[in-house]
Amino acid sequence: MSIGHPAAQLRDDALSRARFEFRWEDQFNLSLDPETARSYHDETLPKEAHKLAHFCSMCGPKFCSMRISHDIRAEARAAGMEQMAERYRDGGDLYVPQSELLAEGTAR
Ligand code: SF4
């Protein structure tokens, strides 16, 4: 549909940025069918406050990969990028041990 359209990439990039920054209203408005996009979102998260949420109903708040990416970035900024790079350089702990999740109460 948008192949060859000069603004297609700009629009797609803008939509991606809005998605990653959880700007839900911008996402709806940049979509090809804003009303349908908004209605799909509102089927499960209808409140206005949900338009500010850093997750949607697909993965939920605990497993939203974009929220987790933001959290990791914030942690890296706080810890200093070099310290975080060192942590992950030798295999790191990308996978949290189940015992740790159980202790946090985020796993069964
Ligand atoms: S919950 Fe999943 S689908 Fe929804 S915004 Fe987060 S990563 Fe995307």
Side-chain angles (χ1 to χ4, degrees), residues 20-73:
F20 190 66
E21 294 166 3
F22 297 104
R23 289 183 281 115
W24 292 101
E25 289 295 343
D26 288 343
Q27 282 187 71
F28 303 147
N29 293 328
L30 286 163
S31 72
L32 295 176
D33 183 353
E35 285 182 29
T36 301
R38 186 176 282 104
S39 73
Y40 283 167
H41 175 272
D42 289 356
E43 277 182 21
T44 52
L45 296 170
K47 295 179 182 173
E48 281 308 303
H50 293 146
K51 308 284 191 313
L52 302 173
H54 285 200
F55 63 92
C56 75
S57 62
M58 191 174 291
C59 313
K62 286 186 180 177
F63 300 105
C64 175
S65 61
M66 294 198 303
R67 182 196 55 75
I68 292 168
S69 293
H70 283 278
D71 290 351
I72 290 170
R73 283 182 171 189

Side-chain angles (χ1 to χ4, degrees), residues 73-80 83:
R73 283 182 171 189
E75 187 181 344
R77 269 193 301 276
Q83 185 181 340

Side-chain angles (χ1 to χ4, degrees), residues 73-95:
R73 283 182 171 189
E75 187 181 344
R77 269 193 301 276
M81 290 302 285
E82 185 51 39
Q83 185 181 340
M84 288 299 288
E86 198 171 298
R87 179 176 167 188
Y88 291 107
R89 194 168 288 134
D90 298 320
D93 55 353
L94 290 175
Y95 299 99

